[in-house]
Amino acid sequence: MSPRSASVNEELRRRSRERLLQAAVELVGEHGFEATTLGDIADRAGSARGLVSYYFPGKRQLVQSAVHRLMHRTLEEALEREPCTEDGRERLARAIDAILGLARDRPVLMRQHMAGLLQAEGFVQCPEQRRLAELLGDTVARYGAQDVSADYPMLRALLMGAVFSALVPGVPMPVPVLRAELFQRYGLDWEMGVPPESEPAPKAEDQDLSRFFATEERPGNA
């Protein structure tokens, strides 16, 4: 049997990494960060346990990369959904709704993510985080920001603050209230994006995360 080509090996490595990312998001969302082990993640992904350390230096880095993948793919989906639009204000509204939607729909996962960002490691500079930054930066630019290098970090900070406020145990702020504050700040009409009152009941496929960790190559894919 002839040896596999370099391109085949690269594809297999990419698929293995994405299975680990998906397994991490699923397990942390189900059981929390502390109760999830690297062995659990490897088993769910169908990978050898030693393979995890090949891609990630530790559990926190793996989980942060996995959540950033979920975030940037959720954001991509929101920005690209029909009807497609190049209107910068509508795209910003969709971006805000996409991130707040994750706080509403996946509170355990996002709470663990926010807690991880406060650890000494801070942001993990991984491909997933960079892709998320690119999407948000492009959204700010299309919105009409004069200085994207300053306005993008502000948007990121406001979104992080809103997610944190929505997830504080015991005193969470309602997502519609946080949305209203952000929309007012950016001069967005309430009807833009996906207003809370217009959202349909969650579909079964919305609970299936596999589409966010698809193994095919995509433009700008991490």
Side-chain angles (χ1 to χ4, degrees):
M1 181 181 294
S2 59
R4 291 194 296 257
S5 67
S7 62
V8 170
N9 285 331
E10 178 61 27
E11 175 66 10
L12 291 173
R13 285 193 293 269
R14 187 172 63 81
R15 291 183 181 223
S16 294
R17 185 177 186 275
E18 296 198 347
R19 285 196 299 269
L20 290 169
L21 292 171
Q22 180 177 344
V25 161
E26 291 174 347
L27 286 167
V28 172
E30 293 167 10
H31 307 295
F33 181 82
E34 297 299 334
T36 299
T37 68
L38 287 175
D40 295 332
I41 294 171
D43 290 344
R44 173 71 67 92
S47 300
R49 299 192 182 193
L51 192 61
V52 180
S53 59
Y54 175 81
Y55 295 110
F56 305 97
K59 183 173 70 169
R60 192 167 298 283
Q61 291 84 354
L62 165 55
V63 171
Q64 193 175 136
S65 292
V67 177
H68 279 140
R69 167 61 67 86
L70 176 62
M71 292 175 72
H72 91 60
R73 285 283 179 88
T74 298
L75 183 54
E76 280 181 335
E77 189 174 86
L79 295 174
E80 295 169 4
R81 76 166 185 269
E82 297 292 341
C84 293
T85 180
E86 296 300 319
D87 181 83
R89 295 174 70 244
E90 170 63 22
R91 291 177 71 86
L92 179 58
R94 292 185 184 189
I96 291 171
D97 283 337
I99 302 303
L100 290 181
L102 285 171
R104 180 194 63 232
D105 299 336
R106 306 192 186 278
V108 173
L109 181 67
M110 295 304 291
R111 189 177 292 119
Q112 299 292 333
H113 178 61
M114 295 302 294
L117 295 179
L118 297 176
Q119 302 298 311
E121 304 97 300
F123 271 111
V124 173
Q125 298 298 316
C126 59
E128 288 74 24
Q129 189 276 326
R130 289 193 292 272
R131 179 58 180 153
L132 178 62
E134 289 169 1
L135 284 171
L136 287 175
D138 179 70
T139 299
V140 169
R142 294 184 189 220
Y143 171 72
Q146 298 301 308
D147 185 357
V148 174
S149 64
D151 292 339
Y152 156 65
M154 179 57 69
L155 174 62
R156 182 184 63 197
L158 291 169
L159 289 173
M160 289 175 64
V163 169
F164 180 84
S165 297
L167 298 175
V168 176
V171 288
M173 288 193 67
V175 167
V177 173
L178 296 165
R179 181 185 194 266
E181 183 68 22
L182 287 168
F183 271 44
Q184 181 179 19
R185 178 185 178 90
Y186 286 101
L188 305 175
D189 299 331
W190 182 259
E191 295 74 20
M192 290 180 164
V194 185
E197 62 271 15
S198 71
E199 285 191 299
K203 300 177 182 178
E205 58 264 29
D206 292 335
Q207 303 305 314
D208 180 7
L209 297 176
S210 61
R211 72 185 189 279
F212 296 115
F213 298 88
T215 55
E216 73 273 9
E217 291 286 0
R218 296 168 50 146
N221 193 18

